[in-house]
């Protein structure tokens, strides 16, 4: 059994974006395991694309001003026992990470209390990179959402809406990513609070993501986008990677949120299935 | 836009397992965002089920003998700045967690190098709970795999194969989960090395999971299942939760693996989509 020669899945077809591909692959994979036959199944997995929306966590990566870099400390070695292991130490809001409601709101949901079905959602990507390239304080506004909906249709309920500002292109240069001015004030795009309130109240999103370090524009005086989103019991994901490779609509996102008791957030693996 | 009154997705239908449901829901969600119309779409999301295969990480949870419990230390408070945050400190192999190949094999793949498409796979659950309930040293053998294949068909290529021993029922009692004998030797089920080699070589699995603390039975003298799986560049996931609720075949698993540079593993969020 486990017949060789079966068509491989995403691995060999990673370059071909196809919504039909995702559905076909999931369908074929699911069907394949239920067919009570040992015959080779050439239909095993149709083309499909997985986009990794997660930055690699490493010591030199951009962090919010004042936050420490992540650290790894060896605590087991191959030469002594046959296994290697590190102790991990980092603040929760490091790398591509979740903002749980309790990050902003006392008594709000912590990481382990977010409902698992909310971690799988239609992915909506709203591109504001054209204005962000000339204005680092640009925000995703209600007008940007309306433009997206005119083009692609209404945002479906329980979607995950992500702002793509192009900030990922600065990732390798932490200083450019954090973008402090002469007074040590960071400048980077974020969600306009009115737009955040609309996404929660009218669109019923499960969560909102950004490719910068903060749901709010970095110069926000009051962090009202955080308040609107997390205050409504929805989650945020900050510092998403590679959103430029994701389609504006039609993908499904899986947010691999951390699950430690009482957590205000934490590093998470985020995958877009196209 | 964002019309209300649209049929909700998994949240309100979490009790109904349906393979057709998953495909329908993903399909409908994807289609919904591409229809250029603001009309309400009653077909938005068909029933679907997300099973969370992840234990909550907390200080009193079971850990491998000699490993420390995970810790959270507050580093920001709502009362001083408006946001709460913790510093996380834990060993990589804590909770429901990934074993990257380098955990066992010098020079093997570390967490960030595992290909993202390998984190989405058909889920195969092989139930050995009947023998594990009477023998804590029980292993998943080649015969168990053959029995599964006789019932459900050949394991599809690039699948994720999980051993269900029923150990999750001991989770609330860390001492029963670790199960030390009078000589402080732990006893818990794992994968027989010959079965591990078969899964890698003949079935071409992407990874192997267990609901115990180790891919090998806890009394293994040489950890040959680890060597077979990680040595072949495949990953492991240990301490999976709620496998008893997952179907033997037909689900898709998403492994939200950590992505820190050089990591030997780390806590991960694992979801089964049924």
């Amino acid at each position: 059994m486990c017949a060789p020669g079966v068509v491989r899945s995403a691995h060999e077809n990673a370059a071909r974006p196809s919504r039909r591909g995702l559905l076909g692959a999931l369908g074929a994979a699911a069907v394949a395991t239920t067919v009570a036959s040992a015959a080779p199944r050439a239909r095993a997995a149709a083309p499909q694309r997985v986009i990794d929306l997660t930055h690699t966590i490493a010591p030199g990566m951009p962090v919010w001003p004042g936050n420490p870099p992540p650290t790894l400390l060896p605590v087991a070695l191959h030469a002594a026992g046959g296994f290697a292991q590190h102790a991990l130490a980092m603040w929760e809001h490091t790398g591509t990470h979740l903002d749980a409601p309790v990050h902003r709101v006392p008594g709000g949901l912590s990481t382990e209390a977010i409902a698992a079905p909310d971690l799988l959602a239609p992915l909506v990507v709203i591109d504001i990179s054209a204005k962000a390239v000339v204005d680092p304080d640009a925000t995703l506004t209600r007008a940007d959402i309306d433009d997206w909906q005119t083009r692609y249709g209404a945002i479906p309920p329980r979607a995950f809406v992500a702002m793509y500002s192009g900030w990922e292109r600065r990732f390798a240069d932490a200083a450019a990513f954090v973008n402090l001015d002469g007074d040590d004030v960071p400048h980077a795009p974020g969600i306009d609070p009115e737009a955040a309130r609309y996404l929660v109240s009218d669109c019923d999103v499960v969560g909102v993501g950004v490719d910068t370090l903060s749901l709010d524009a970095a110069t926000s005086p009051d962090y009202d986008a955080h308040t609107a989103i997390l205050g409504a019991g929805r989650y945020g994901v900050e510092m998403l990677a590679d959103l430029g490779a994701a389609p504006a609509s039609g993908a499904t996102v899986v947010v691999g949120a951390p699950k430690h008791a009482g957590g205000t957030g934490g590093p998470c693996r985020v995958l877009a299935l196209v």
Side-chain angles (χ1 to χ4, degrees), chain A:
Chain A
M1 299 211 209
C2 301
V6 181
V7 176
R8 287 290 185 86
S9 65
H11 316 274
E12 293 166 5
N13 297 286
R16 275 194 275 170
S18 159
R19 178 161 46 80
R20 201 168 136 260
L22 166 65
L23 306 176
L26 282 171
V31 168
T33 59
T34 58
V35 175
S37 158
R41 289 169 311 284
R43 62 180 173 150
Q48 168 182 349
R49 193 167 160 231
V50 176
I51 304 172
D52 192 350
L53 303 182
T54 320
H55 286 297
T56 296
I57 290 177
M61 76 187 311
V63 291
W64 186 254
N67 286 20
T71 58
L72 269 70
L73 179 72
V75 291
L77 304 170
H78 292 114
F83 288 90
Q85 182 172 189
H86 302 105
L88 295 171
M90 63 186 77
W91 285 18
E92 288 174 316
H93 297 259
T94 300
T96 302
H97 69 275
L98 184 87
D99 274 16
V102 72
H103 179 47
R104 179 64 169 153
V105 184
L109 293 176
S110 48
T111 53
E112 83 285 14
I114 294 171
D118 285 346
L119 302 177
L120 177 76
L123 173 63
V124 168
V125 179
I126 302 181
D127 185 346
I128 66 160
S129 62
K131 59 182 176 183
V133 81
V134 293
D135 177 13
D137 300 320
T139 57
L140 184 156
T141 64
R142 172 67 194 273
D144 294 316
I145 299 171
D146 289 347
D147 285 351
W148 189 96
Q149 293 191 110
T150 300
R151 251 179 112 167
Y152 302 104
I155 291 172
R158 312 307 289 174
F160 178 83
V161 175
M163 174 196 81
Y164 172 61
S165 72
W167 226 245
E168 68 195 30
R169 294 193 291 262
R170 298 176 178 228
F171 184 78
D173 181 345
F177 198 96
V178 179
N179 200 31
L180 298 177
D181 65 18
D183 296 320
D184 284 345
V185 174
H187 293 264
I191 313 283
D192 175 72
E194 184 207 346
R197 285 188 286 271
Y198 174 76
L199 288 172
V200 167
S201 302
D202 292 70
C203 300
D204 193 22
V205 297
V206 293
V208 176
V210 294
D211 59 353
T212 55
L213 282 164
S214 170
L215 294 173
D216 284 274
T219 56
S220 167
D222 46 21
Y223 303 105
D224 266 0
H226 275 88
T227 306
I229 296 162
L230 306 185
R234 316 306 161 92
Y235 63 85
V237 180
E238 292 167 337
M239 218 178 181
L240 286 163
D242 216 15
L243 278 174
S249 82
T252 297
V253 69
V254 182
V255 177
K259 199 177 175 187
H260 51 285
T264 74
C268 59
R269 190 62 175 264
V270 185
L271 303 173
L273 317 180
V274 185

